[in-house]
Amino acid sequence: MEKLVVEGGLPLAGEVDVAGSKNAVLPVLAAALLTREPLRVGNAPRLVDVESMLGVLRDLGCEAVRRDDGSLAVQAPSSPSQRTDWELVARMRASFCVLGPLVASTGRAEVSLPGGCALGGFRPIDIHRKGLEALGARVNIEGGYVIAEAPSGGLRGAEMYLGTAFGSSVTGTANVMMAATLARGRTVIQGASCEPEIVDLGHCLQSMGARIDGLGSPRIEIEGVDELHGPDWDVIPDRIEAGTYAIAGAMTGGRVRVRGCRPEHLTTVLERLREARIPVEVGADWIETQAFDPRSPDERPGPTDITTHPFPGFPTDLQAQWMALMTMAEGRSVITERVYPERYMHMAELARLGADVRREGALALVCGTPRLSGAHVTASDLRASAALVLAGLVAEGETHIHRVYHIDRGYECIEERLGALGAAIRREQAE
Ligand code: EPZ
């Protein structure tokens, strides 16, 4: 098992290029099942989760490779397998995105109930089921598999509401929107996800010949077509990775330019950084934190409350990283997690670094302290592990972050890229 070792106290400085979006590329890869023509995806990040999705597609009979130029090439066979291997799907929740395309293009899909990040609570799939049933599929759960069967004439368009008690569902919208592209007639999804990753998926589907309106709004309309063509698509930059590196610059007081990102995908985060007195400049495709001394009393980050919401609200995938920043703020901040109410496992590990954090029901209270001290900590999920790396950058001494496989799922070469910004970070075998 590997760990990351971070020596704290060094300000970062320099430029980091953002990789392609993990949460855009994964459903786009699943869209390969909607056509029998080849799909090419550019700007695809080199992540464990991407390899997992390629494995699922190969298991279904697709040719799925990464070319020498880094792009991904996937081509579904004329008759893909209709059943996924549970072990492959259990490894990554997003594999569940093959459900909609598979049932729409072959008439049946047997996909294992998803695994993936344990964000402190149960992660249901009722919205996925509700949407596919609205399109006429019969959906049952047997032996740990979701079995979806289209009616004899194929899926048919329908009007539906896919909002959950916690807002919209990202992959729920992805699954149903992909299925609806091949359904007969018109589908209207109310309560749809507005996430940039869903907009990117929708644009990719449009490039394949799908007829979709309303992308980026809670109401998406899809007019079904008979067939789709293979796309040649470059996914958007990863806004969560961009936000993570911007917060790294903010925490260390370094001048860090995050290049090749979409600042308009991080409006709320940028607003909160400014509220926290972090000097930030923004260009067309870059974000730059300015140098300052986070230790001096009049320059320490200001305590700033956040509440997570679906886009355009503050993203839940940056909540843990924001908490890491607030552990060094000059005062008390309140963090409210509305998307995954139990997504606070990183608090115990931040406390091991000396952070003054505590739960108050659905809220997390963070009282900023002037210093953190390095310790051994354990990552629990992808974004929590990123928060621990950020805290390690400012904690005095060495911080050992165990179970680093979590971070490799969503951050491309994180130690090389932070190292290039001046961080003292290395990967080692854990004892
Ligand atoms: C996507 O997960 C992302 N993953 C997550 O990022 C992200 O945290 C999440 O959206 C929220 O933004 C991918 O895109 C691959 P949801 P998803 O369905 O689609 C509830 C990361 O770190 N819900 O939008 O699985 C659910 O419990 C990962 O990159 C239902 O109630 O999340 C949650 O409270 C972690 N019923 C809320 O909706 C359902 O059928 C949002 O979940 C589905 C979801």
Side-chain angles (χ1 to χ4, degrees):
M1 193 93 71
E2 294 181 319
K3 64 179 178 178
L4 287 178
V5 182
V6 187
E7 176 72 37
L10 302 173
L12 303 186
E15 297 177 338
V16 59
D17 292 321
V18 178
S21 165
K22 169 178 83 77
N23 292 348
V25 75
L26 295 175
V28 162
L29 287 171
L33 295 164
L34 291 168
T35 177
R36 298 297 172 261
E37 296 180 14
L39 163 143
R40 177 205 162 274
V41 182
N43 200 31
R46 294 179 184 280
L47 300 171
V48 169
D49 275 10
V50 171
E51 296 309 313
S52 298
M53 180 59 95
L54 294 177
V56 170
L57 292 169
R58 283 192 283 266
D59 188 54
L60 292 172
C62 300
E63 288 178 34
V65 294
R66 185 182 289 273
R67 293 197 183 116
D68 294 344
D69 65 1
S71 64
L72 304 176
V74 183
Q75 179 153 12
S78 52
S79 304
S81 161
Q82 294 172 320
R83 181 178 175 93
T84 64
D85 174 275
W86 78 271
E87 195 168 1
L88 291 173
V89 177
R91 195 176 298 164
M92 179 188 65
R93 181 180 174 83
S95 321
F96 200 64
C97 283
V98 303
L99 179 68
L102 206 49
V103 69
S105 64
T106 70
R108 180 183 174 86
E110 300 180 21
V111 180
S112 172
L113 278 165
C117 276
L119 303 181
F122 175 50
R123 295 179 73 182
I125 53 99
D126 56 305
I127 291 299
H128 301 247
R129 177 175 192 166
K130 177 182 178 183
L132 293 177
E133 285 177 337
L135 296 177
R138 192 170 65 245
V139 183
N140 292 303
I141 295 177
E142 286 167 29
Y145 277 78
V146 175
I147 297 169
E149 268 190 299
S152 54
L155 298 177
R156 57 180 184 279
E159 184 143 353
M160 64 193 73
Y161 175 74
L162 294 187
T164 78
F166 307 95
S168 53
S169 168
V170 177
T171 49
T173 302
N175 251 329
V176 178
M177 178 168 69
M178 287 193 279
T181 60
L182 294 179
R184 279 177 296 107
R186 190 167 74 108
T187 294
V188 177
I189 302 175
Q190 302 270 24
S193 165
C194 303
E195 254 61 11
E197 294 76 24
I198 293 299
V199 173
D200 200 34
L201 170 65
H203 288 159
C204 175
L205 293 169
Q206 287 170 332
S207 77
M208 296 167 70
R211 294 167 57 189
I212 304 174
D213 288 313
L215 289 169
S217 84
R219 187 179 193 275
I220 296 178
E221 285 191 32
I222 302 119
E223 197 65 43
V225 295
D226 293 336
E227 64 174 356
L228 293 173
H229 306 291
D232 185 338
W233 193 254
D234 292 344
V235 294
I236 55 172
D238 195 308
R239 63 191 168 110
I240 303 303
E241 186 183 67
T244 302
Y245 283 113
I247 293 174
M251 289 183 70
T252 60
R255 188 195 66 75
V256 173
R257 174 168 291 205
V258 181
R259 293 188 310 195
C261 64
R262 297 271 185 92
E264 67 272 22
H265 290 167
L266 286 165
T267 307
T268 306
V269 178
L270 291 168
E271 197 52 37
R272 294 291 174 270
L273 284 171
R274 292 186 183 104
E275 285 177 29
R277 299 202 297 256
I278 305 295
V280 179
E281 286 186 21
V282 176
D285 63 351
W286 55 267
I287 295 168
E288 184 173 279
T289 58
Q290 303 305 299
F292 70 103
D293 179 2
R295 294 273 167 264
S296 72
D298 56 353
E299 286 189 275
R300 263 175 76 184
T304 306
D305 300 349
I306 62 158
T307 298
T308 64
H309 287 292
F311 190 84
F314 194 100
T316 177
D317 292 347
L318 282 172
Q319 180 255 108
Q321 299 91 316
W322 186 263
M323 187 180 292
L325 173 61
M326 289 296 106
T327 65
M328 53 192 298
E330 191 185 21
R332 189 184 86 161
S333 312
V334 178
I335 292 177
T336 310
E337 174 54 65
R338 285 266 186 264
V339 178
Y340 294 110
E342 294 305 314
R343 192 175 195 172
Y344 291 125
M345 282 88 68
H346 42 284
M347 290 177 70
E349 300 307 306
L350 289 171
R352 288 180 54 76
L353 298 172
D356 181 353
V357 292
R358 75 174 191 278
R359 259 316 272 277
E360 290 265 321
L363 314 179
L365 304 184
V366 185
C367 292
T369 54
R371 60 182 290 279
L372 297 177
S373 57
H376 284 253
V377 292
T378 304
S380 54
D381 71 76
L382 166 53
R383 306 307 175 179
S385 41
L388 295 175
V389 171
L390 297 183
L393 292 173
V394 300
E396 287 174 9
E398 280 193 345
T399 296
H400 296 241
I401 296 136
H402 296 265
R403 298 191 186 170
V404 76
Y405 58 84
H406 286 293
I407 208 162
D408 294 332
R409 293 185 50 186
Y411 290 89
E412 193 177 297
C413 312
I414 191 164
E415 68 264 34
E416 284 87 349
R417 297 161 89 203
L418 284 174
L421 292 173
I425 180 171
R426 64 184 188 274
R427 187 182 289 252
E428 287 183 357
Q429 284 302 320
E431 296 79 30

